[in-house]
Amino acid sequence: LIALGLALITTTVGHHVWLRRSDHARPHGGYYTQDDLREIVAYAAARHITVVPEIDIPGHSRAAIAAYPELGNVDVVSNPPTPFTDWGISPDVLNVEDATLRFYEHVLEEVLELFPSAFVHIGGDECPKGQWRASARAQERIRREGLADEDELQSWFIRHFDRWLAERGRRLIGWDEILEGGLAPGAAVASWRGYEGGIAAARAGHDVVMCPEQHVYLDHRESEHPDEPIPVGIARTLEDVYRFEPLPPELRAEPDAARHVLGTQAQVWTEFMDSVRSVDYHVFPRLCAFAEVAWSALPLDPAARDFADFSTRMATHLTRLDALGVEYRPADGPLPWQRRPGVRGRPRPS
C-alpha cells in the first residue's frame, strides 16, 4: 500500500533545486544488516503485510557506481561519481556488460533469500540515455542484440531480469518507464507518471498498480497553507486523497483490461524528511483516507463518495493516532513545531 523512500545517507535541508552544496545536507549514515531485514520482514508478516524490495536499475545507481566504478560507463566517464548529497536524476547509469548483469544477479540472490515476496521491484525509472548514446560499448550491445535504440536497450536490460526472476518463481514489477522500448512479458507496472502508463499496460495484458504522483504522493504538500513545512509537489488535501480512484474511467468498460489493475499504492519519499515525526506529518491522516479507498467498496465515481461521513469517522481515526503517538497534520494546519520557517521547497501548481 505504501512505498517509503528511505534517505539513509543525508537529508536535504530544503529542496535540491535551491540547494546544491553539501553543507545543506544533514548526514545520517547507517545501514541495514541482513538480520535487520529479516526482523523487518517478520514484523510485517506477523501483521499480514508483505515487504516488496526494490533494487533500482539501470538508473538511480549512482551510489553503486561510486562504490564499484566498473559498473559505470567507463569508456565515457573517466572518473567515478561521488554519491549524491541531494536528490534528483543522475546522468550516471549502469553499463550493459555481462559482468554488470552478473553483479546484480548476485545482489538479487541475496534479496530473494531475505524477502519471500512474490514481486521484486527493479525500478527502471528516470534512466537518462546520454551515457549509452556516447558509449561505444553500449552501442555495440545495441548492434549485437539487434535493438533499435537506447530505449530498446533498457527494455533488453529489464527483460533479462524478468526472465531471471521468473526462473526463480518471482515476478518483476517496475515503474512505468519500463514500458519504453517494449515491456518484458511477465512484468507488472507501477504507474506513477499519471494513469496513462497503467492504462496502456493493462490493455496490453500486464498487471498494474495505480500510484499516480498527482494523486497519491504523500510527500507532496497537503495544502496551500503558507506554513506547510518544505512544501513540494502538488497540494493534495485529505479530501483529494479520499476521492482518488485507482480504476480510471477509460478501463471501466473494458473488463479484460480492468482485471489487470491489481490495486493501488501511495508513496512518501523522504529526502527532505529528517525524522519519523516529519514522516508522520506528511503521511497522516491522508493515509487513513487512502486505506479506505484501497480496501473499501467505495463508489467508482469519486464525486459520489460521502466525504462528510468520512470526516465524522476521522474523529475515531485521530483518537487512535493520538494513542499511538503519531504526530499527524492537524486539519487547520501545522503546529508550531511542525513548521520549517524559511526553508524553501518547490511547490507546483495544483
Side-chain angles (χ1 to χ4, degrees):
L1 271 181
I2 185 164
L4 183 65
L6 294 171
L8 291 178
I9 300 174
T10 61
T11 297
T12 55
V13 186
H15 194 277
H16 73 102
V17 165
W18 313 115
L19 306 172
R20 281 291 183 186
R21 302 205 319 272
S22 61
D23 59 352
H24 286 102
R26 180 177 296 123
H28 297 295
Y31 55 88
Y32 290 115
T33 67
Q34 290 194 358
D35 284 342
D36 289 336
L37 294 176
R38 291 187 182 97
E39 181 181 0
I40 291 168
V41 168
Y43 181 91
R47 290 154 180 80
H48 309 288
I49 296 168
T50 299
V51 179
V52 176
E54 178 180 355
I55 303 296
D56 204 339
I57 52 177
H60 284 297
S61 300
R62 181 169 173 145
I65 296 169
Y68 301 93
E70 65 273 18
L71 297 177
N73 293 279
V74 295
D75 61 335
V76 175
V77 180
S78 56
N79 296 316
T82 57
F84 263 162
T85 55
D86 51 26
W87 58 298
I89 302 173
S90 170
D92 295 289
V93 302
L94 298 175
N95 66 44
V96 290
E97 303 294 325
D98 288 343
T100 298
L101 299 179
R102 300 292 90 77
F103 180 96
Y104 276 92
E105 288 172 3
H106 292 319
V107 170
L108 288 169
E109 284 171 356
E110 290 195 37
V111 168
L112 298 191
E113 180 184 349
L114 295 167
F115 296 90
S117 60
F119 284 101
V120 175
H121 207 303
I122 51 75
D125 61 317
E126 297 178 331
C127 178
K129 309 299 194 298
Q131 289 186 358
W132 288 350
R133 293 188 185 97
S135 168
R137 298 174 73 90
Q139 293 301 311
E140 172 58 27
R141 175 69 83 176
I142 288 174
R143 287 190 293 271
R144 190 161 69 245
E145 301 295 335
L147 307 174
D149 54 23
E150 292 74 22
D151 283 342
E152 286 197 4
L153 181 60
Q154 179 171 347
S155 176
W156 170 86
F157 195 100
I158 299 299
R159 285 169 183 265
H160 173 86
F161 288 100
D162 179 66
R163 291 191 298 271
W164 190 90
L165 288 167
E167 289 168 359
R168 289 153 181 81
R170 307 295 185 95
R171 291 191 62 190
L172 180 148
I173 185 169
W175 302 109
D176 56 66
E177 285 95 331
I178 66 173
L179 288 161
E180 297 166 4
L183 191 58
V189 170
S191 188
W192 77 275
R193 296 181 299 177
Y195 286 104
E196 291 76 14
I199 291 170
R203 284 173 171 166
H206 293 272
D207 289 340
V208 174
V209 175
M210 288 293 188
C211 48
E213 174 192 13
Q214 301 88 339
H215 299 274
V216 288
Y217 267 38
L218 301 184
D219 47 310
H220 286 201
R221 68 196 194 281
E222 189 161 343
S223 76
E224 303 288 3
H225 195 290
D227 286 330
E228 291 292 347
I230 318 180
V232 302
I234 300 166
R236 280 295 172 259
T237 66
L238 181 67
E239 182 172 359
D240 290 331
V241 174
Y242 189 70
R243 297 195 186 283
F244 164 65
E245 173 48 50
L247 185 64
E250 293 90 333
L251 295 184
R252 292 175 199 166
E254 303 177 35
D256 288 343
R259 66 182 176 84
H260 285 290
V261 179
L262 299 180
T264 183
Q265 172 179 289
Q267 286 77 226
V268 55
W269 306 112
T270 60
E271 289 91 343
F272 56 88
M273 300 178 199
D274 60 359
S275 67
V276 173
R277 299 172 73 181
S278 180
V279 175
D280 281 355
Y281 175 87
H282 286 85
V283 169
F284 292 101
R286 289 183 293 180
L287 193 58
C288 300
F290 178 79
E292 188 154 318
V293 169
W295 293 336
S296 301
L298 294 175
L300 290 178
D301 179 4
R305 295 177 185 173
D306 191 345
F307 182 71
D309 176 64
F310 174 76
S311 298
T312 300
R313 290 183 285 107
M314 272 303 302
T316 301
H317 284 302
L318 297 182
T319 298
R320 290 170 176 160
L321 294 178
D322 286 332
L324 291 169
V326 175
E327 297 194 41
Y328 56 85
R329 181 190 184 277
D332 55 357
L335 296 167
W337 56 87
Q338 294 172 322
R339 300 169 188 166
R340 295 293 296 274
V343 182
R344 298 177 72 177
R346 196 187 185 198
R348 286 153 48 190
S350 298

